Every structure is written in structure tokens, then in C-alpha cells.
Amino acid sequence: MTQIIDRRLNGRNKSAVNRQRFLRRFRDQIKKSVSDAIYQRSITDIDKGEKVNIPTRDTSEPIFNHGPGGRREIVQPGNTDFIAGDKVPRPPNQGDGKGDGKASNSGEGDDDFVFQLSREEFLEFFFEDLALPDLVKTQLATISEYKSVRAGYTTSGVPTNINIIRSMKGAMARRIALRTPYTRRVKELELERDTLLLLHDSDHPKIIEIDEEIKRLKAKAHAIPFIDTFDLRYNNRIKEPTPTTRAVMFCIMDVSGSMNEERKDIAKRFFILLYLFLTRTYKNIDVVFIRHHTTAKEVDEEEFFYSRETGGTVVSSALELMHEIILQRYPTSDWNIYTAQASDGDNWEGDSPACRELLTQQIMPCLQYFAYVEITAYEHQSLWREYEKVKGAFPNFAMQDIAGLTSIYPVFRELFNKQTA
Amino acid sequence: MKASGSTTNTLKRKPISDSSEWTTDLINQYDHEIARVAAEFGLDTYPNQIEIISSEQMMDAYSSVGMPLGYHHWSFGKQFLNVERRYKRGHMGLAYEIVINSNPCIAYLMEENTMTMQALVLAHASYGHNSFFKGNYLFRTWTNADAIIDYLVFAKNYIAECEKRYGISDVENILDSCHALMNYGVDRYKRPAQLSNEEESLRQKEREEYLQSQINDLWRTIPVVEKQESDTEEVRFPSEPQENLLYFIEKNAPLMEPWQREIVRIIRKVAQYFYPQRQTQVMNEGWATFWHYTILNKLYEEGLVTDGFMIEFLQSHTNVVAQPPYNSPNYSGINPYTLGFAMMSDIRRICENPTDEDKAWFPEIAGKDWLQTLDFAMRNFKDESFIAQFLSPKLIRDLKLFSVLDDDTQNTLEITAIHDESGYRKIRRALVEHYNLSTREPNIQIYNVNLRGDRSLILRHIQHDRKPLDDSTDEVLRHLARLWGFTVRVESVDSDGNIELTHECKVKR
């Protein structure tokens, strides 16, 4: 007696909970992997999974076992040329094998335990460091802008949307359709009149009657309106959600001598976070890296993060360069522009007011958002004070001083508020 | 091979199918025929429940070590990740089936299998393993196929409830510790009580309270009077060494919460359920393989399956029973399928066509009815006794078995016996040892509790052939100490009776 059950439609992820338990248990190791990955990856490359290695030792489950040593007799198959009493030298690495044939049945040996973290899990660990509120994590879903697209025709609408060709086609069809019975009858009558004319004079009462009738029918056919409200067709447009066109993200970083590796790492995470937010909203994102000390330069990501220079700091040089690039390559009509700036707050004293000028007069009006983080352990300097004035004037300007990773998020809070509103 | 001999016979019947695609209907038809043949051979089975699953579901089933519903634990997650990674990279194929010792007997079939493979799996799992579960004395004694699903449901729910109430971490700690001692959570001789969900739930509360009161008694009954302390031998607790560590912990650990005891009990029960499987791997697989081979050949003789079917089946069968030699890179010990299948087939051969050698070695079965002999062997043995009883010289020769002595006092390995007249018995004895769980695992028992002092728990490791414990012992002791709550020590007893303290895990209070 057999019963066959098709379980294929049942849930597939019976082990999902156990997987979560595993991740939970090896949090620390996994977090380290994620940190390393963030360090190594490109900003635009952050949005995917990661391979994680955990030393086998850590994941092993201990049980009582015999160790090497003692006396053991093992039966093996496939003898070729041994005879009883043969002495064989010990194979070099097998001396401490387990002897029960189970030592390594995978062929992978004692390497690390390797597994793949999914994109979601990876981001989860990434966000964790940054102390994002849960709500925000879920809000990383896109907010869309709407675009109106054509969707056929309707019978009602505003006069500007009248589709003339379509309306006229309809009218003609209607005219033809309504006229047909009359014209057909007229033709019949004319035929009848012609045959009568062969026999009678044109003033024969019958013929006069037919003439009357034809006249009446023609008038009727003529009375059919050329166009009727009934014929009108309007272009129909509906709103469709679409990711807003394109965005460009400017990363500006101070690379003067005081920006050490640790600060750069914080800055990198800050840039990554902004990038991630943008990927939720925009399909195409350009990233422009600008580094500066006394002069600014557009560079690639590699150089941006991993080369170092020394010297003074003139922030306005970077802002000027950015403004130039915006004018040349990213017209505000086509691009949403976001800027993230990281610095240790040092700036040449006389330059800071110039920065404010530049921002308030020229740059801020073009931008969607400007986020500034100052990574410093010391007093704020003139740049911070000038930026505070900018912040007062523009709601889409955010700034924050950062002691550790957790203080990155507040910079983005307003950005989120704006998105959810 | 019978398959090749009968191709010219007139086919009595039309083949059931000739395409590799399976349908539920076809599975039903195959099952019907296989059941008929199995019954003709006298296989006694539980009713079958066949579940068609996808490969992902198979990976799920894998990682819960064959329990159709398991409690949650990270180690299963680890297992899953491992299987998933290796499967995706093509390092391993998934098993074609998993079968559960339950009533009805549940077998999982993967949807990717061809019709031939489904038929093979049906014969192998639903009739081979199934009849073994129902017939073998170990399974009959130690497991209760009717109640296991119920019990696992109870266990899963109970542990989930504990997680809610006491936190995932605390429960995980207990489970980790229990898993470390799982192999020492079985009664090797005593018959366990029957399990069932309702009973368990009903009795669980009572047991909780009762146990707690008993624990306190343990300490209350310490002799208060100190008279004659010097001249009476100290009373040990337990009075006899206890081999079931988890049982001892469950009943006697002084500081455990009732829910923790219940979890220890659950793991103990699960361990006990799997214990027969660990002792009958060769027999169980051998039996199932022998029967899928025999049954499908019978179907072929009757003309119910096509030549193509047989070629695919034989190719797969040959892979399963392949035994690489010891010096092959693919060698990973003796393949239980090979040994089991070869021994089962050999018994049939001895019954049907005994040689003089067989008559001398196996007078009690040579020339007897093979079906009865196999049935008897299946019912009344486990791996070690099965090999001791039935491993024939011919088979030792066929597999070219030889035994190697690895003695750490010698500089070289010694070949102690090969497949010749003087070696048969030695090889057989050595192979029996290999399948003897009680020598394969270190012999560790609870010897004493220091009732008057620091309440430390003393384990005795009885050395076998001077084999020491390995490095993970300290780790296991930490787990044991977590359960016991006080210091835990291991003393090793060597063959001369010398006792030495080898491991210790101190707990400060």
C-alpha cells in the first residue's frame, strides 16, 4: 500500500531558520569578512553578496575521539603485492590521521569553511555597523517619480487633447454608415424613375412622386452632421511610476596628510551609504571622485582611496572643480546631483568664506543634496562654521561630525525624511 | 548476470514504460509491480509514503540529518551551507533518495531523477530499507517507527517554546553541549521506553517536578555522620559506572533547570533513535542494494522493463557498489554498499552453489534455502556480528582484503594478514573490530561524583590498545562541565590498570 505525495510545491526554504542561526552564531567572523570586503570593494560594487571564510576549527563540533597513537589494525581492500609479515614505512602525513577512514572524505581537507552570503545578508551586516533604524532599512525600497505615458484614446477629455485624425476617421465612418440606407434607396428610386421615363412623360404623377421622394431622401442624407461630439477622441495619458532618470554622485575628499587610513575607511563607508541610497532611487548613477589638497583633481576610485598626498588644504578648489564638471557634463535638467564631502575640517583660513560663497551662490541651487562629514577629534574650524551658515539657508544641506561609524547615519536622516514625505 | 541472459526470451509482457520521463501514474505502476515482486520474495514492509521533492528540498532534508522535522540549530545551517556550496560547484551529487525509519516509511524521491532512477529508488528504499527497518532486531528493539514522527514534532515544538521563553542563546548552549555528547547518550543494553507525542507532553510536566525533587535528595542523602570514615571504603556515586552520559546528566546534574533536563532528554532520545542506524550501516545498505538489484532483474526477466532501463540501472548500480583500492586517490575507506551487497549476494551464492570451502566454513547455511537464510541474517545481526558470522574466504579474496597494523611503538607499519588461508580469520576479526562501535569510539563512562568535596564529576576512559583521546577532548569536557555545573575530570586507565588524570575542566563557583 503506497501513497505518493508531491511535495514540490511546499516551501523550499525549510533550512532558512537554521541558516539564520548559523549566521547569528558566527556573527563576529562574518562581520569581519564584511568589513574586509567593504575595504576591498569598489563603491559601486557594494550591492551584492560575499564569500565568507570561517576557520574550520571554529565551526567544528567536538566529540570524544581517539587521538593518534596506540595500536590499531586497519583492514583495507585492493591488495596488490603485500604478503603477511611485510614491513612498510609509515606514510608521512598519515601518522596522525584518524585511522577510521573518515579523516577526509570530502577531498577538501581542513581548509576554511566557506559559504556565500547573499546580497541581503551582506547589506544587513553592512547596515548593522551604521546603526540604521529598522524603518530606514526597509525604506531602502525605491521611491518613484511618475512619468505620463500614452495609453490609447478616451471618449472624454480636454479640448487640447483631441486627436484629430482619430476623431475624423470616426466621423467619416459614422457618416458613411448613417447615409447608406438613404443613398441606396435613392439609387433604387432613380432606377425606377428611369424605367418609368421610357414609358411616360416627366410630368407623370408617379415620376413626380419619385422625384419628391428622392429630394426628401437627399435632404435627409445631407442633414447627417459632418462631425458629432460622439466622434471625438482624446489622447489618453496615464501616470506610470518610473525611476527618476539619472543621478550623479560627487565624492569629495580631503587627502591632505592628516587623513589617515582609518578616517578614509569611515569616509568610504559614508560614500557607500550614499551610493546605496541612490541606487534605490536611480537606475543610472555616475560617480565622480574629486580629491583635493591645495588643488583639486578628478581621479578614479583606486587613486581616490588608496593614494596619499600631503600639503595644505584649499576646499574651494574642489568645489570649483565640481561646479565646472556640473556645467560641462551634468546639466541640471537631465541629472540629479548629489554631493558627499568628507574632510578632517582643516582648511586654509581665508578659503572658508569663499567656500560658503561658492556653495550658496552657485552650487547649492543645482544640487539635490549635499552631505558633509567632518572626521575629526578636535575643535571645529572655520570651514565648519561657514558650512553651518549654508545649512541655515538650505534645507538640503546636511552636515555631521563623525567620531565613529555610528554617527554616519544622522547625515542621511533628512534625506530619508524627504523621501518618505 | 541474469540481465544479459534473458534478452532472447520471448517477452511475456509489455514494458511499463520506455521513456526516461516519469509521471505519478508511472511511479504507481512501477510501485505496484515492485511490491508484487517484493512480496513474492517475502519482504515484509511498513506501508510506503513516497514524497516527490525538488533538489532544494533534498538539500533541506540532507541538512537535518534525516529527520523529517528537526528542531532549529546552527549546526544544521552549517550542514546546509556546506551541501549547498558543494552541490552548486558540482563537487557532489545529491543522494537519489532519503528514507525515514517510520511507519508509514517515508521515502523522498527527487524530481530530477529519471524514471529508471525512481524505480531503482523505490526498490532500494521503499522495499529494501523499509523491510530492514521493520525486520532487524536492533530497530525493533530500539526504535518505535509508529511514534517517531510524533516525538519529533513534540521535540521541535518544545525546543521552540524554550527558545521563546529562555532565549535562543541559552537553548543553543544546551544543544551544543548535548550534541557534543550525543554519541554517549545511548543505552547500549537497556530497552528504552516507547515514545509518543501525547504521552510525552502529558508526562513532561510531572517529570519536571519529580526530577527537581530528586536532585535535591542527591545532596540530602550524603552521609552526615563522619564515624569510621577512614576504615570504610568510600561509597561511589553512581555505584556502577554509567555509560549513558546524557542520561546521568539528565537525572543527576544538580543545577539544571527542568527545561534543560527535558532538552537533554530529547537529544538522548534522538541519539537513541539513530543508534541502530550507526550499527547496521553495512547490513542496511547491503540489504537494500541486494534487493533493488534482485527485484529489478526480476522485472527485466518478466519483460516489464526495457534494455535501456537496465543499462541505465546497471550503470548507476555499478557506481554505487564500486570499491576503489586502498592506493587509489578516490579511496575513502571500505564502501559499506560494496561490502554489504557483496556479502548478501555471497550468502545467496553459498546457499545455492556451495563450494567445498563454503561447506567447511558455513555448514549451517550451505545448500539451505537462500531466502530464509538471508531473512534470518537480516533479522538477527548487526554489522559486527554479521561480518563475524558471514564474511567468507571467497569474498576476502574477491575484495583482496589485507590488514595493516599501525603500532606507535614500531617504526614501520606491518602487514599482519592478507587474503590467504592463514589470513582469513585474522582479517575477519580485524574487520569486526572496525565495525564494533564500542571499540571505535573511546570507552568513556561516568565513574564517580565527589559528593563530599567539590562535586566534581569523574569520568573513566578505559584505553583500548593504548589509544589516547584526541585534542577535542578538552572542548567536549567544557560542554560536559556546562551541563554538570561543576568541575569535570577524565582519568585514563591503561591496560595494566594504571590510572592517570589526563583532562580536566575546572568550574569555579
Side-chain angles (χ1 to χ4, degrees), chain B residues 375-387:
Chain B
D375 189 63
F376 171 79
M378 177 273 282
R379 285 179 192 277
N380 299 300
F381 292 86
K382 57 181 167 181
D383 282 350
E384 49 175 300
S385 54
F386 179 67
I387 290 167

Side-chain angles (χ1 to χ4, degrees), chain B residues 30 44 49 52 166 209 215-216 229 244-245 300 378 420 461 483:
Chain B
Y30 274 100
D44 179 23
Q49 178 169 324
I52 315 277
Y166 306 104
E209 287 155 19
I215 304 316
N216 301 337
E229 198 186 65
N244 190 336
L245 306 192
Y300 182 69
M378 177 273 282
D420 60 10
H461 166 225
L483 295 175

Side-chain angles (χ1 to χ4, degrees), chain B residues 436-450:
Chain B
N436 182 353
L437 274 189
S438 52
T439 56
R440 200 157 63 173
E441 291 170 351
N443 176 358
I444 294 173
Q445 308 201 359
I446 288 178
Y447 183 72
N448 195 10
V449 176
N450 185 346

Side-chain angles (χ1 to χ4, degrees), chain B residues 379-433:
Chain B
R379 285 179 192 277
N380 299 300
F381 292 86
K382 57 181 167 181
D383 282 350
E384 49 175 300
S385 54
F386 179 67
I387 290 167
Q389 187 74 22
F390 295 110
L391 186 66
S392 74
K394 175 172 188 301
L395 198 53
I396 293 176
R397 283 195 301 273
D398 287 351
L399 291 173
K400 295 192 169 61
L401 298 180
F402 65 107
S403 82
V404 187
L405 177 69
D406 180 358
D407 188 327
D408 61 352
T409 59
Q410 307 293 319
N411 289 328
T412 53
L413 303 178
E414 190 190 340
I415 310 296
T416 48
I418 64 160
H419 39 94
D420 60 10
E421 199 57 52
S422 60
Y424 296 142
R425 286 181 198 281
K426 275 190 193 165
I427 285 175
R428 190 154 85 173
R429 208 177 311 126
L431 198 58
V432 166
E433 272 303 272

Side-chain angles (χ1 to χ4, degrees), chain A residues 71-337:
Chain A
R71 180 183 183 283
R72 61 194 80 208
E73 201 167 0
I74 303 152
V75 177
Q76 315 255 38
N79 181 23
T80 45
D81 39 28
F82 294 128
I83 56 163
D86 278 357
K87 307 276 189 196
V88 192
R90 270 204 179 86
N93 55 355
Q94 216 204 321
D96 53 354
K98 279 186 186 161
D100 57 5
K102 270 187 167 179
S104 166
N105 53 7
S106 61
E108 290 230 321
D110 294 335
D111 296 354
D112 288 356
F113 183 84
V114 185
F115 68 100
Q116 186 78 23
L117 218 52
S118 73
R119 179 185 149 279
E120 285 75 19
E121 287 160 346
F122 181 84
L123 286 180
E124 184 69 25
F125 277 99
F126 173 71
F127 289 148
E128 203 175 76
D129 277 349
L130 303 169
L132 298 191
D134 285 343
L135 183 65
V136 169
K137 287 181 198 163
T138 52
Q139 272 172 9
L140 282 175
T142 39
I143 63 119
S144 309
E145 280 194 6
Y146 292 95
K147 189 177 128 195
S148 84
V149 294
R150 283 190 176 171
Y153 307 94
T154 55
T155 51
S156 62
V158 292
T160 48
N161 280 345
I162 287 178
N163 184 309
I164 294 172
I165 293 175
R166 192 74 189 209
S167 302
M168 296 313 289
K169 269 188 188 168
M172 188 190 289
R174 178 183 52 77
R175 289 198 309 266
I176 292 170
L178 292 181
R179 248 182 226 153
T180 306
Y182 303 127
T183 45
R184 190 187 295 136
R185 181 75 187 130
V186 167
K187 272 187 184 149
E188 283 169 14
L189 288 172
E190 279 175 347
L191 200 66
E192 195 181 339
R193 178 167 161 271
D194 286 349
T195 43
L196 281 176
L197 268 179
L198 296 178
L199 307 174
H200 309 281
D201 284 336
S202 58
D203 53 355
H204 189 271
K206 186 92 181 192
I207 292 175
I208 290 172
E209 193 187 320
I210 289 174
D211 279 342
E212 289 289 312
E213 179 68 8
I214 288 174
K215 214 171 159 189
R216 198 177 58 83
L217 286 172
K218 280 191 169 166
K220 265 197 163 172
H222 191 69
I224 292 170
F226 180 73
I227 192 156
D228 198 341
T229 48
F230 178 78
D231 302 321
L232 293 182
R233 291 294 179 275
Y234 300 85
N235 290 329
N236 189 25
R237 291 176 168 275
I238 55 167
K239 283 186 171 175
E240 221 173 46
T242 48
T244 334
T245 51
R246 296 178 291 184
V248 56
M249 167 178 162
F250 285 92
C251 298
I252 301 177
M253 186 162 70
D254 178 4
V255 290
S256 58
S258 50
M259 286 292 281
N260 58 21
E261 282 308 313
E262 192 198 335
R263 287 175 176 182
K264 280 188 188 169
D265 181 53
I266 292 178
K268 183 167 183 181
R269 284 170 184 253
F270 166 69
F271 293 135
I272 287 173
L273 201 55
L274 180 61
Y275 181 79
L276 277 179
F277 290 161
L278 298 184
T279 55
R280 295 300 178 276
T281 317
Y282 301 103
K283 249 191 211 148
N284 307 313
I285 302 171
D286 274 13
V287 184
V288 177
F289 296 98
I290 298 175
R291 46 188 258 141
H292 71 89
H293 36 100
T294 49
T295 56
K297 194 172 143 199
E298 185 183 350
V299 294
D300 62 16
E301 183 174 348
E302 185 67 24
E303 199 179 345
F304 186 71
F305 285 112
Y306 301 112
S307 73
R308 170 186 286 204
E309 289 183 32
T310 51
T313 315
V314 178
V315 174
S316 63
S317 64
L319 297 177
E320 266 163 21
L321 178 62
M322 178 173 85
H323 191 227
E324 266 170 40
I325 294 175
I326 291 175
L327 291 181
Q328 282 169 14
R329 303 192 336 231
Y330 301 105
T332 47
S333 54
D334 290 351
W335 294 84
N336 293 292
I337 304 170

